[in-house]
Amino acid sequence: PLAVRLPAAFVAVLLALTAPAGALPGKSVLDAANAAFAGINDYRMTIAVHEVAGDRIGDRTYAILFKKPALERVDIVAGPGKGGGIVWLGGDKVKGHRGGLLSGIHLTLDIHNSQVATLRGDSVNSGTIPAMLAVFTTIKGAVSEATGPQIDGAGASTVTLDVADPAAYNGVTREVLYLSSITNLPVRRERFAGTQLVKSENVTETKTNVGLTNNDFPW
């Protein structure tokens, strides 16, 4: 059969129309997200988290500060433990305090200690942008990308990981990261165990390169 040659300009337009939102032709959504993060020195964001672990359900909202290379501060602004906070300076230790009358008592703990882990046992640094992106290259499984739904009135793309060994990933069988088509940064993350949604994280109020200093991460 005769080969049909399409004009290069037409092919470029076709690729642009079929690529997931937020990705340039020939560039994956995940590549775009990593490139966007490479241009960020620090950020602040709010994450509303809903978790399910067996018959336990948890809802919390966190205010998060992050500064490269690995400084993170997490303040609980709603839900159980409101007023508490955790600081991570990289490594395997964190310093935390409870809310209320005990706010003046600061403890240094292992990052995986149940007192500073989430309901499903996730460590404090798992909610950082680099950790969200790294999942798709460090956890074995099949990765796919697609155009996602509108989130807060803006378009989004999805990157999905179908986990090869859920037992090695806290029972999670599928992870879906939603990336803004405007900023290429995370706006939502969902984790499933089979068909059950066991964790959702909605990211709002993200502001980048706000000029955070080491003083914003008191140890």
Side-chain angles (χ1 to χ4, degrees):
L2 294 175
V4 178
R5 292 184 176 273
L6 298 175
F10 178 79
V11 173
V13 171
L14 183 62
L15 288 173
L17 290 175
T18 55
L24 297 174
K27 189 171 189 176
S28 76
V29 172
L30 198 57
D31 286 341
N34 280 300
F37 183 68
I40 294 172
N41 295 316
D42 60 66
Y43 66 81
R44 63 173 72 240
M45 63 171 51
T46 300
I47 303 183
V49 180
H50 174 78
E51 285 184 286
V52 178
D55 58 357
R56 296 181 297 159
I57 298 175
D59 291 280
R60 273 182 176 170
T61 301
Y62 302 92
I64 294 180
L65 304 181
F66 181 88
K67 179 178 179 293
K68 287 180 175 177
L71 306 182
E72 183 189 21
R73 173 178 160 185
V74 177
D75 294 304
I76 304 172
V77 296
K82 179 180 178 180
I86 303 170
V87 173
W88 174 64
L89 304 182
D92 59 1
K93 300 293 182 183
V94 298
K95 181 166 283 189
H97 67 87
R98 299 183 186 276
L101 297 176
L102 300 177
S103 61
I105 301 175
H106 291 70
L107 299 175
T108 301
L109 301 167
D110 183 88
I111 194 171
H112 299 293
N113 188 290
S114 61
Q115 295 182 68
V116 289
T118 72
L119 183 65
R120 290 188 57 80
D122 295 325
S123 59
V124 62
N125 60 334
S126 68
T128 64
I129 291 177
M132 291 182 186
L133 299 177
V135 163
F136 297 93
T137 55
T138 58
I139 303 299
K140 293 182 179 180
V143 177
S144 59
E145 299 182 348
T147 300
Q150 291 270 319
I151 297 178
D152 293 332
S157 302
T158 62
V159 185
T160 299
L161 171 68
D162 288 303
V163 180
D165 183 9
Y169 194 41
N170 200 21
V172 174
T173 58
R174 172 175 288 190
E175 178 153 338
V176 185
L177 183 64
Y178 298 77
L179 297 161
S180 166
S181 59
I182 298 173
T183 66
N184 293 313
L185 297 177
V187 290
R188 181 179 295 166
R189 179 165 64 165
E190 295 175 341
R191 288 178 173 174
F192 294 84
T195 59
Q196 183 184 19
L197 177 64
V198 293
K199 186 168 186 177
S200 65
E201 298 162 277
N202 287 296
V203 181
T204 58
E205 302 176 326
T206 299
K207 297 185 184 304
T208 60
N209 294 328
V210 295
L212 299 178
T213 70
N214 289 358
N215 292 333
D216 292 304
F217 306 86
W219 189 266

